[in-house]
Amino acid sequence: MPRLSSLAFATALALAAVPLAAQAQAAGKVKVGFMLPYTGTFAALGVAIENGFRLHVEEQGGKLGGREVEFVKVDDESDPAKATDNVNKLIKRDNVDVLVGTVHSGVVMAMAKAAKDNNTLLIVPNAGAGAVTGPMCGPNIFRSSFSNWQPAYAMGEVAVKKGYKKAMTITWKYAAGDESVAGFKEAFEKGGGSVMKELNLPFPGVEFQALLTEIAAAKPDVVYTFFAGGGAVKFVKDYAAAGLNKTVPLVGAGFLTDGTLEAQGDAAQGLLTTLHYADGLNTPRDNAFRLAYAKTFKLQPDVYAVQGYDAAQMLAAGMSAVKGDTSKRDALVAAMEKARIDSPRGAFTLSKAHNPVQDIYLRKVEGKENKVAGVAAKALSDPARGCKL
Ligand code: PHB
């Protein structure tokens, strides 16, 4: 029975090889898969996130938990229709240890599902979809950014304090836009205001003209908006070109003016927004981060760079607790859960659903900066509706 015995021999060899392979794995590189937009309206956001992440890893000598880091990446194009295929490339083809992504709330839903199905560790460095830290929450799913509800709810409270009574909203028709408007509306209506009309256009459209005409005719006290990236640049310029910046105050979640001011120029001056980051925080931590980022990338950092940097800080906390042994998943997750992240935005901890509990700043555009004008909401925690952990 020569065939059987050679099979037995091969099996014995394979079994003997397992501990060796496991050792090589523990000592080898840890594989991080970036799934981010590198094209389209959110392209600059993806680049800033990757830069921020790499900066923190470089500051740790290129290692996490003593292991060198290998990066692989996929351009998700902010396209939910391609998201499942894209995330499976990273999980099944590239065999990543950790997934980092993405920006778009629709795309992140496919990532969270795949991360759950395959028990892959996922850190979300932007997308605010409520479900990620709500109904889809899980021990292997973390977020270093915000929930769509957080900056929006804070702005609803600001708008109430300013005495506005009638608001209109305008955004892209997709999860992030819908949830941002809902968060604003929740706080604004709680404070006695009312939302007269919710205007929408499909993502990533920029045909704003008819909607701006509607705003001019309805004359609300205030307009609340969620736009980001290239779309935000065009919206702020069109709002000013229509003369509305002189007649109807525009407020928004801070993505409206983050990473966009160079391109928005005069059209953005004076805009008030709420976000978990701002210019002019002037803390030693933020100053050091900004200097290092500018030196490394010849670019000014923005909120996306901070979120990428903090995703790496969260992973570093887990990896150093298990000395790079990602097979100790429970200990790795426990260390990430209890980490206090020394973020450029200000230190934060994570909620039970793994979302940052953080201050939301009120910011005012002055020149090329979103100057901090105060704290709109202190240590704001997403309600994590539907999360059972
Ligand atoms: C989102 O889709 O969740 C999203 C996209 C861009 C942002 C913020 C949120 O700047």
Side-chain angles (χ1 to χ4, degrees):
M1 311 233 290
R3 285 188 64 212
L4 232 193
S5 63
S6 73
L7 183 64
F9 182 66
T11 310
L13 254 187
L15 281 175
V18 167
L20 276 181
Q23 274 171 29
Q25 168 83 359
K29 292 184 179 178
V30 61
K31 215 173 197 187
V32 172
F34 288 124
M35 179 158 150
L36 292 166
Y38 294 104
T39 52
T41 199
F42 292 157
L45 290 57
V47 171
I49 289 167
E50 180 180 337
N51 286 347
F53 195 101
R54 285 180 179 271
L55 177 62
H56 184 69
V57 172
E58 275 315 303
E59 288 174 353
Q60 308 310 302
K63 292 186 176 177
L64 292 171
R67 287 170 70 185
E68 278 178 31
V69 185
E70 178 182 351
F71 294 106
V72 286
K73 54 198 223 182
V74 164
D75 176 8
D76 69 34
E77 305 168 50
S78 295
D79 186 349
K82 298 181 183 163
T84 300
D85 281 351
N86 280 330
V87 71
N88 279 325
K89 283 183 201 157
L90 291 171
I91 296 176
K92 304 218 161 96
R93 181 194 67 190
D94 298 332
N95 242 313
V96 299
D97 296 295
V98 187
L99 277 170
V100 175
T102 187
V103 168
H104 185 285
S105 271
V107 176
V108 88
M109 294 307 297
M111 294 188 77
K113 172 149 194 332
K116 267 184 173 288
D117 291 351
N118 296 281
N119 194 28
T120 308
L121 186 61
L122 167 65
I123 306 177
V124 179
N126 185 72
V132 166
T133 51
M136 298 279 290
C137 74
N140 58 323
I141 298 179
F142 286 81
R143 184 152 53 198
S144 66
S145 52
F146 60 89
S147 73
N148 289 321
W149 180 90
Q150 284 178 306
Y153 187 86
M155 184 46 92
E157 292 188 331
V158 169
V160 167
K161 284 196 195 111
K162 290 211 161 281
Y164 300 136
K165 299 278 183 253
K166 291 180 303 164
M168 275 172 97
T169 63
I170 178 166
T171 188
W172 283 312
K173 186 76 205 151
Y174 82 114
D178 292 346
E179 291 173 7
S180 189
V181 164
F184 171 81
K185 192 171 168 177
E186 185 184 330
F188 190 59
E189 298 199 338
K190 200 187 272 178
S194 73
V195 172
M196 306 160 59
K197 183 143 193 202
E198 300 177 18
L199 303 172
N200 293 289
L201 74 168
F203 176 87
V206 290
E207 304 303 320
F208 301 121
Q209 219 44 56
L211 300 174
L212 294 175
T213 305
E214 215 177 310
I215 292 170
K219 298 192 181 65
D221 299 334
V222 65
V223 168
Y224 174 80
T225 189
F226 166 87
F227 288 110
V233 170
K234 172 91 168 23
F235 180 73
V236 165
K237 288 177 115 173
D238 286 6
Y239 199 87
L244 280 166
N245 59 338
K246 302 275 186 314
T247 53
V248 183
L250 176 67
V251 298
F255 313 108
L256 186 68
T257 55
D258 230 79
T260 56
L261 290 175
E262 200 78 45
Q264 285 163 336
D266 287 348
Q269 295 310 303
L271 286 179
L272 288 180
T273 63
T274 42
L275 203 65
H276 46 288
Y277 191 53
D279 296 314
L281 292 178
N282 201 22
T283 58
R285 183 71 181 100
D286 190 43
N287 291 345
F289 164 76
R290 291 169 82 102
L291 191 65
Y293 191 92
K295 256 174 89 173
T296 308
F297 304 109
K298 315 282 176 254
L299 282 171
Q300 289 305 309
D302 54 21
V303 69
Y304 310 104
V306 170
Q307 293 167 175
Y309 188 81
D310 292 342
Q313 294 210 76
M314 286 164 61
L315 182 57
M319 288 291 285
S320 58
V322 297
K323 301 202 168 49
D325 185 352
T326 46
S327 72
K328 296 189 173 140
R329 169 67 69 79
D330 289 352
L332 192 155
V333 159
M336 287 177 71
E337 282 175 338
K338 64 171 196 289
R340 180 178 178 275
I341 302 300
D342 190 13
S343 171
R345 76 188 84 172
F348 68 83
T349 53
L350 293 175
S351 68
K352 248 186 110 193
H354 299 170
N355 191 66
V357 177
Q358 56 194 341
D359 293 351
I360 305 294
Y361 301 103
L362 178 63
R363 308 113 48 87
K364 182 177 185 180
V365 176
E366 283 174 22
K368 303 257 168 73
E369 296 204 322
N370 287 290
K371 268 270 151 65
V372 61
V375 174
K378 187 91 197 136
L380 190 64
S381 187
D382 179 84
R385 292 168 188 137
C387 170
K388 293 182 192 74
L389 261 187

